[in-house]
């Protein structure tokens, strides 16, 4: 809603600028309150606090993406990478039938968070930068290369949690 109001404000006449600005301020305040609440909840739970400290050490995973993974993926760290990729919906599995093609199952909020992180990570993180060119050189479409990056990022984050090891220290400065 905040983005919608910002877009609306750019196109609005001078007569409605003030009410839109007021609504933007209210939405921004509510967002800050929700963020504080999320941080307090993750700090109150010992397992979440530990994982919330580890997840942002992954490439391009900041506090927002970390909280998305904490909330929407409770199985994190407990499944094998293939099972986790299938659960999220980034595995190399087709669920096509005669009337349905191209639909994938999984967790869309987690996929969205991973796609944004993987998109920037494949461009600027040395560990992830080899994935996209390799798939593109093999003639794969950009979306397939991005999905491979998402799968690699998910496997990396999933492997960090059971061992309680942070990612490469250089990742933290790149988020």
């Amino acid at each position: 809603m905040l983005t919608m109001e910002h877009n609306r404000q750019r196109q609005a006449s001078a007569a409605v600028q003030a009410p839109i600005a007021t609504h933007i301020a209210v939405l921004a305040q509510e967002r800050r309150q929700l963020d504080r609440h999320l941080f307090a909840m993750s700090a109150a739970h010992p397992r979440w606090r530990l994982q919330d400290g580890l997840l942002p050490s992954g490439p391009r995973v900041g506090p927002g993406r970390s909280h998305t993974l904490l909330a929407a993926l409770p199985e994190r760290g407990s499944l094998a990478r293939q099972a986790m990729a299938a659960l999220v919906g980034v595995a190399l599995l087709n669920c096509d039938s005669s009337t349905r093609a191209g639909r994938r199952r999984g967790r869309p909020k987690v996929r969205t968070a991973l796609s944004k992180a993987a998109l920037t990570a494949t461009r600027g993180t040395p560990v992830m930068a080899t994935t996209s060119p390799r798939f593109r050189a093999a003639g794969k479409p950009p979306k397939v290369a991005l999905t491979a990056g998402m799968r690699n990022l998910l496997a990396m984050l999933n492997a960090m949690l059971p061992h309680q090891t942070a990612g490469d220290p250089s990742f933290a400065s790149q988020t």
Side-chain angles (χ1 to χ4, degrees):
M1 285 182 66
L2 198 54
T3 302
M4 287 177 8
E5 289 299 316
H6 279 294
N7 292 339
R8 189 173 295 130
Q9 187 179 32
R10 278 186 287 189
Q11 298 174 352
S13 65
V16 292
Q17 288 286 330
I20 292 174
T22 303
H23 193 222
I24 287 173
V26 168
L27 289 173
Q29 176 63 28
E30 287 181 10
R31 182 178 183 180
R32 285 190 295 274
Q33 287 175 349
L34 285 172
D35 284 343
R36 280 194 297 269
H37 183 66
L38 280 172
F39 279 109
M41 285 179 58
S42 66
H45 193 282
R47 182 175 174 213
W48 282 25
R49 183 176 46 242
L50 175 68
Q51 291 182 358
D52 196 27
L54 292 174
L55 288 172
S57 69
R60 306 295 200 235
V61 179
R65 291 186 184 121
S66 175
H67 286 147
T68 299
L69 293 172
L70 287 172
L73 197 60
E75 301 85 0
R76 63 200 171 275
S78 63
L79 298 175
R81 63 182 174 85
Q82 298 91 343
M84 189 64 77
L87 181 68
V88 172
V90 293
L92 299 174
L93 302 171
N94 292 353
C95 294
D96 301 338
S97 70
S98 61
T99 59
R100 185 182 62 164
R103 299 272 182 181
R104 299 296 175 253
R105 295 188 177 133
R107 304 207 176 146
K109 289 184 182 190
V110 176
R111 274 198 313 270
T112 300
L114 286 174
S115 69
K116 291 177 183 178
L119 184 62
T120 57
T122 55
R123 292 181 181 161
T125 307
V127 175
M128 301 281 292
T130 59
T131 303
S132 184
R134 190 176 63 230
F135 275 79
R136 298 291 291 143
K140 303 294 183 186
K143 185 81 168 189
V144 172
L146 177 63
T147 305
M150 292 165 57
R151 199 170 42 254
N152 287 350
L153 178 60
L154 181 64
M156 186 184 309
L157 295 172
N158 193 43
M160 288 170 26
L161 297 177
H163 303 293
Q164 297 181 0
T165 57
D168 186 344
S170 64
F171 292 157
S173 63
Q174 297 172 358
T175 56

